[in-house]
Amino acid sequence: MADTVDLQDPVVGAGLLLAVGVVVYGAVVSDTIAGIEATVAATWVFAVTFAVLAGIHANVGQYDLALGHGGAAVGWLFVLLGTSGLQVILGVVLLVLSGSYIAIRTVRRRSDSSEDRPEAE
C-alpha cells in the first residue's frame, strides 16, 4: 500500500479549534458573528468539518469512512436547518448512528493495521 498522509487528525483539530474560537469570541466579544449566533456558527463549522473529512476519505478510496463522515455532515444539516422537531430528531439520530459507525470502523482499521505489522524483537 502506498504511503499516505493522514489528514483526519489535522482537519478535526482545525475544525475543533475554529469552533472553540468562535464560541469564545461569542462569549467575550459579541454574541453574533456577521448576524449569526456564535453557537450556531460553531455548529456550522462542525458540519463543514465532517463534509471535508468525507471528501478527503472519498478522495483516497476509503468509502466506508467517507460514508460515515458524510452521514454526520447530513445529520448536522438536519439539526441546523430542521424546521420541525422530527427533522431535528432525525438529524440527532443520524449523528449518533454515523458517529458509532465511524468509531467502529476506525477501531477495526487500527486493529487490522496493528496485526499486519511484524513485532520488534
Side-chain angles (χ1 to χ4, degrees), residues 18-66:
L18 183 58
V20 169
V22 167
V23 170
V24 168
Y25 178 86
V28 175
V29 179
S30 173
D31 290 341
T32 62
I33 300 170
I36 301 172
E37 283 188 43
T39 53
V40 174
T43 308
W44 275 104
V45 170
F46 282 127
V48 170
T49 300
F50 279 107
V52 168
L53 286 171
I56 289 170
H57 284 297
N59 191 39
V60 297
Q62 296 176 342
Y63 300 113
D64 54 344
L65 290 175

Side-chain angles (χ1 to χ4, degrees), residues 5 7 17 20 30 40 42 57 60 62 67 88 99 109 111 113-114 121:
V5 177
L7 291 175
L17 284 176
V20 169
S30 173
V40 174
H57 284 297
V60 297
Q62 296 176 342
L67 175 69
V88 174
R109 281 178 182 264
S111 68
S113 66
S114 67
E121 295 182 30

Side-chain angles (χ1 to χ4, degrees), residues 64-65 100-110 112:
D64 54 344
L65 290 175
S100 300
Y101 181 76
I102 292 166
I104 290 168
R105 293 303 304 157
T106 301
V107 168
R108 285 187 182 165
R109 281 178 182 264
R110 288 185 180 157
D112 289 346

